[in-house]
Amino acid sequence: MSETLKKIKRIGVITSGGDCSGMNPCIRSVVRTSISKGIKVFGFKRGYQGILDNDFLTLDSNHSVSNILQRGGTFLQSARCLAFKTDEGLKKGLDNLIDLELDGLIVIGGDGSLTGAHKIHLAGFPTIGVPASIDNDLYGTSMSLGVDTALNAIMNSVDTIRDTASSHERAFIIEVMGRNCGYLALTSAIASGAEAAIIPEVPYDLDRISRSLVRRFKEGKTNSIIILAEGAGSAKEFGQKIREKTGIEIRETVLGHIQRGGSPTSFDRIFASKLGRNAVIALEEGKSGEMIALKDDKYVTVPLDLVLSKQRPLSPQLLDLAVLLES
């Protein structure tokens, strides 16, 4: 072990906010990396609520995280915890962490979860964040945990819907997750060959989309797929607008929480394992208030205040590719 590494003996780990596939492999990696270094891990149940309730599992053996690599969601469970946002809640949580003699905390989650991690750091307790958000909207990392599995779930669903769309010569509006970020809609449109992606970041031209749909059916195409990010509107409302303009038979499908679950892809399993390992190492190196990030194919740490102060922009190359491949 490098002389620069800090000797830590006990750490906590939580999964917080919206769940995603890959959280279990990440917990597994945190635990097994820690065990290899003689560190004891406390897994708090239901995120920050578990810290307030002192509700935890002692994850002190490789067996304690066996058979979870392939499971979606998080076996530690997750929950929203408004109480932790208060000064009283934060103090109680810190007191519980200190009473357990923990040397640090790893928080796996999205922007709300990382906001809590930042507050714990500012209060003086060593904290490292791991990006887990299927929207892929966290600044400072090229990829967040769960994105790849969600994208594959959407792609498989679109492929299935296209079969029935062709059978009945219909257009489908498919609504996917993405309240503030259109990454999933944009990349799934490219991956599934959709005719258009409607995302919050780019104004859409309803007339142009309508003309394109009419042209496709006149040319003998048997189906059309439009993928809509939830932050850009609802599938029902958008479908009605298209129906009024074109007279084409439109069906709407909201994929909803099907995008959050399912067995993690090989990418997310390996990605999660690397994130978990690097989170433990970051605590050993004495880092705090940082997020583990993938940047230029390397794992780095990014200050949480920077992560939380900026919106991750969509890649211009992705936007250009989506336009190029529209048909």
Side-chain angles (χ1 to χ4, degrees):
M1 182 179 290
S2 168
E3 292 182 358
T4 61
L5 296 186
K6 178 184 177 183
K7 182 59 180 176
I8 57 177
K9 298 180 179 180
R10 298 153 73 93
I11 65 173
V13 61
I14 65 170
T15 50
S16 176
D19 71 316
C20 66
S21 294
M23 284 182 162
N24 278 329
C26 191
I27 299 166
R28 175 180 181 269
S29 178
V30 167
V31 171
R32 295 196 170 184
T33 300
S34 297
I35 288 173
S36 73
K37 296 171 177 291
I39 301 169
K40 189 173 184 179
V41 181
F42 294 74
F44 292 93
K45 299 184 71 174
R46 305 186 316 283
Y48 291 109
Q49 189 64 53
I51 295 177
L52 291 182
D53 296 340
N54 238 359
D55 185 7
F56 59 84
L57 302 173
T58 303
L59 305 175
D60 55 1
S61 69
N62 286 335
H63 179 70
S64 65
V65 286
S66 64
N67 200 35
I68 66 170
L69 183 69
Q70 75 281 9
R71 289 165 53 188
T74 163
F75 85 100
L76 288 179
Q77 300 181 300
S78 184
R80 311 283 181 183
C81 182
L82 296 177
F84 203 86
K85 295 181 179 181
T86 66
D87 291 341
E88 294 80 7
L90 177 61
K91 183 181 184 305
K92 180 180 179 182
L94 284 169
D95 288 344
N96 287 343
L97 294 174
I98 293 169
D99 287 345
L100 287 170
E101 299 181 336
L102 300 190
D103 299 304
L105 177 70
I106 294 172
V107 176
I108 306 168
D111 56 355
S113 305
L114 297 182
T115 298
H118 188 234
K119 288 183 178 180
I120 295 174
H121 157 71
L122 292 177
F125 192 87
T127 309
I128 294 294
V130 172
S133 168
I134 66 169
D135 288 345
N136 205 24
D137 57 350
L138 291 170
Y139 184 82
T141 182
S142 59
M143 185 62 67
S144 291
L145 195 57
V147 174
D148 190 68
T149 304
L151 178 57
N152 276 273
I154 294 170
M155 183 182 68
N156 292 332
S157 297
V158 173
D159 289 348
T160 301
I161 289 170
R162 194 182 286 279
D163 291 340
T164 193
S166 294
S167 297
H168 295 277
E169 293 187 298
R170 289 174 179 160
F172 269 78
I173 313 294
I174 302 175
E175 183 181 320
V176 302
M177 287 184 173
R179 187 172 296 110
N180 300 309
C181 178
Y183 181 89
L184 279 180
L186 186 65
T187 51
S188 62
I190 294 171
S192 61
E195 281 61 63
I198 311 300
I199 59 177
E201 294 90 339
V202 180
Y204 64 84
D205 186 335
L206 188 63
D207 289 333
R208 185 184 66 80
I209 294 171
S210 299
R211 288 195 300 269
S212 177
L213 292 180
V214 171
R215 174 181 56 79
R216 281 181 54 80
F217 282 106
K218 283 184 177 179
E219 291 174 350
K221 303 289 177 62
T222 58
N223 67 82
S224 286
I225 301 290
I226 296 172
I227 300 183
L228 172 74
E230 62 181 341
S234 76
K236 184 176 181 180
E237 292 175 357
F238 193 83
Q240 183 59 33
K241 291 178 182 178
I242 293 288
R243 195 176 293 112
E244 292 172 354
K245 278 186 171 291
T246 66
I248 293 173
E249 190 171 3
I250 305 283
R251 291 291 185 272
E252 301 89 19
T253 298
V254 179
L255 294 185
H257 285 79
I258 192 173
Q259 298 157 85
R260 286 200 180 279
S263 182
T265 60
S266 59
F267 176 89
D268 268 332
R269 296 183 195 196
I270 296 169
F271 183 40
S273 299
K274 291 179 178 179
L275 289 171
R277 174 180 178 273
N278 279 281
V280 175
I281 292 174
L283 284 176
E284 281 190 304
E285 291 176 342
K287 293 181 179 178
S288 180
E290 304 269 332
M291 180 187 78
I292 307 299
L294 178 61
K295 191 173 183 180
D296 299 327
D297 294 323
K298 295 180 181 179
Y299 288 85
V300 299
T301 56
V302 181
L304 283 173
D305 56 359
L306 181 62
V307 173
L308 298 169
S309 66
K310 294 190 176 184
Q311 177 80 24
R312 181 181 183 273
L314 282 178
S315 162
Q317 290 82 8
L318 270 180
L319 290 166
D320 290 343
L321 183 59
V323 173
L324 176 68
L325 296 178
E326 283 184 4
S327 60

